Structures are given as structure tokens and as C-alpha cells.
């Protein structure tokens, strides 16, 4: 297998962390987004949507989309479980991972892509050109603050995002927080003690360096 990746992008980082937690050896091929390599004819043949990450299987099948890639890897490398062992666990992890993706990760991405001067004309990923909308950036920041507060409430009741064990939901959440810190200079309020406790523990895992 080969993972087409870009070390400077947050979305493929979710897959890299997942792979590191599983301790899987997968060839990593960098696609330089800054140099527009994602639009090359060579890469278009692998992923016509011109985005990363893409997992290329040994038979030539190309898998895009972070949740799909991670579900596939969980199927063939079930230990340690990051999506769950039982049908109920998988449903709960999937539910919370999706909520965190929609309310947290995508809020930060919206704010970033609609405010970063380097992304003018590229407010959305992919082959088409979309202009930035400042109002979406402001809305994304407000939604990010709301996510911090809601996630703190969740973590007051349990150790991790989806329950008692570290999961894919935590990976998406920590990447969202790191992106908010790095791109938006947004830190969760100090009063959100459960969130800070969780972040301190999760961000210290060796996989976070991936």
C-alpha cells in the first residue's frame, strides 16, 4: 500500500496518526500541495478530485476520504481498535467522530480557508476555484468556540471523545484543536478544564508526531 500525503495538511494528518497508533508500515508519498502537484496529470490518475490523502492498494484500487481509509485499515489491522470492536462501539465512535468532524474540524477549516491569504481563490479543496467569503470565516470561528464548550461538557462525563477508550473521534478532535491553534491562533478558554485535561493527555501520545 501507498499513502499519498502532504505533511503540511491537517486532513491527511488524521490518517497518519491512525496509522501510527496501529503501528502499520505503509509507504508514504508526498504530494506537494504548495507546488500544486495535486493537479498534475500523474496524480489526477490516482485521485481525480485532486485532494489528499489517498490510499493506493496493492491491486491499484485508490481510496479517498479519511473515514473510509481508516475504516479499511481497521478491518485489516483490528488491533488496537480505534473504531470499536462491537457493533455498538463502532456506532458510538462513528457518531461522535462525525459530530466532531462537522462541529469542530469543519468549523476550523471553514474559518481557515476563508481567511488565509494563501488560499485566495481556493476556499474549497479540489479542482474548482471558489472565492473566500469573510462571513464564513467569522461564522467558523464562532462555531469553533461553541465546539470547544460542547466538547468540554462531553469530556466532563468521560475520559475520551466516544467513551472509555481512545478512538478515531479523538484523532479528529485533536487535529481540529491543533489546526485552530496553528491557523487561527485560537485557544480553548482556560475554564474548560476537562478539555485541557483531555488535550494534555492525548497530545502527548507518540502518534501525534506523525
Amino acid at each position: 500500500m501507498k499513502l499519498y500525503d502532504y505533511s503540511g495538511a491537517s486532513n491527511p494528518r488524521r490518517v497518519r496518526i491512525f496509522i501510527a497508533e496501529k503501528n502499520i508500515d505503509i509507504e508514504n508519498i508526498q504530494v506537494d500541495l504548495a507546488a500544486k502537484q495535486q493537479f498534475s496529470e500523474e496524480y489526477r490518475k490516482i485521485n481525480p478530485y485532486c485532494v489528499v490523502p489517498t490510499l493506493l492498494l496493492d491491486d491499484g484500487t485508490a481510496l479517498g476520504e479519511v473515514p473510509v481509509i481508516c475504516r479499511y485499515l481497521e478491518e485489516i489491522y483490528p488491533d488496537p481498535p480505534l473504531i470499536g470492536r462491537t457493533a455498538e462501539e463502532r456506532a458510538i465512535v462513528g457518531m461522535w467522530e462525525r459530530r466532531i468532524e462537522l462541529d469542530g474540524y469543519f468549523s476550523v477549516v471553514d474559518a481557515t480557508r476563508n481567511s488565509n491569504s494563501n488560499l485566495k481563490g481556493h476556499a474549497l479543496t479540489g479542482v474548482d476555484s471558489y472565492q473566500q467569503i469573510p462571513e464564513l470565516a467569522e461564522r467558523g470561528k464562532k462555531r469553533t468556540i461553541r465546539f470547544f464548550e460542547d466538547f468540554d461538557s462531553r469530556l466532563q462525563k468521560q475520559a475520551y471523545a466516544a467513551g472509555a477508550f481512545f478512538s478515531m473521534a479523538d484523532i479528529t478532535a485533536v487535529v481540529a484543536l491543533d489546526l485552530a491553534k496553528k491557523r487561527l491562533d485560537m485557544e480553548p478558554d482556560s475554564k474548560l478544564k476537562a478539555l485541557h485535561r483531555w488535550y494534555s493527555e492525548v497530545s502527548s501520545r507518540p502518534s501525534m508526531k506523525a
Side-chain angles (χ1 to χ4, degrees):
M1 290 186 291
K2 299 177 182 178
L3 179 69
Y4 287 83
D5 183 14
Y6 179 58
S7 60
S10 58
N11 216 27
R13 183 181 174 222
R14 295 160 67 190
V15 176
R16 292 199 306 274
I17 293 172
F18 194 93
I19 289 171
E21 287 283 339
K22 295 280 189 181
N23 196 27
I24 310 169
D25 185 15
I26 297 178
E27 181 181 357
N28 186 291
I29 299 175
Q30 290 289 301
V31 179
D32 191 343
L33 303 189
K36 311 299 183 185
Q37 286 183 355
Q38 71 272 33
F39 300 120
S40 68
E41 287 303 315
E42 180 183 4
Y43 189 66
R44 282 175 185 265
K45 293 176 183 178
I46 297 167
N47 188 327
Y49 291 95
C50 302
V51 295
V52 292
T54 302
L55 183 67
L56 188 65
L57 307 186
D58 293 338
D59 67 358
T61 300
L63 300 179
E65 306 303 328
V66 170
V68 173
I69 293 171
C70 292
R71 282 199 298 270
Y72 174 79
L73 293 174
E74 179 94 346
E75 285 286 332
I76 58 176
Y77 298 100
D79 293 310
L82 296 175
I83 296 178
R85 291 193 184 277
T86 67
E88 182 176 343
E89 284 183 354
R90 288 191 291 271
I92 291 172
V93 171
M95 175 179 68
W96 283 104
E97 201 274 333
R98 182 59 173 161
R99 287 178 177 175
I100 290 166
E101 187 177 53
L102 290 172
D103 297 338
Y105 182 76
F106 287 154
S107 296
V108 178
V109 169
D110 249 4
T112 300
R113 296 198 69 91
N114 284 284
S115 62
N116 190 317
S117 60
N118 293 326
L119 296 173
K120 287 184 178 179
H122 297 284
L124 294 175
T125 59
V127 297
D128 297 316
S129 176
Y130 291 98
Q131 297 303 315
Q132 294 173 323
I133 302 175
E135 291 81 4
L136 289 182
E138 290 307 308
R139 187 184 70 178
K141 291 176 183 178
K142 291 178 181 178
R143 292 185 66 217
T144 298
I145 293 172
R146 178 65 173 173
F147 167 69
F148 289 161
E149 295 169 346
D150 288 346
F151 195 36
D152 178 79
S153 296
R154 174 73 176 163
L155 293 169
Q156 290 175 23
K157 303 179 182 70
Q158 56 197 42
Y160 297 104
F165 65 95
F166 179 86
S167 72
M168 184 64 199
D170 295 285
I171 293 174
T172 296
V174 78
V175 170
L177 262 71
D178 283 344
L179 186 62
K181 291 168 178 279
K182 182 177 181 180
R183 300 298 184 192
L184 302 175
D185 196 26
M186 293 182 67
E187 293 272 355
D189 192 292
S190 60
K191 69 181 180 182
L192 304 178
K193 297 188 183 303
L195 176 55
H196 283 282
R197 180 269 308 162
W198 167 88
Y199 181 79
S200 177
E201 178 183 343
V202 171
S203 63
S204 66
R205 298 172 75 94
S207 62
M208 297 300 149
K209 298 176 181 178

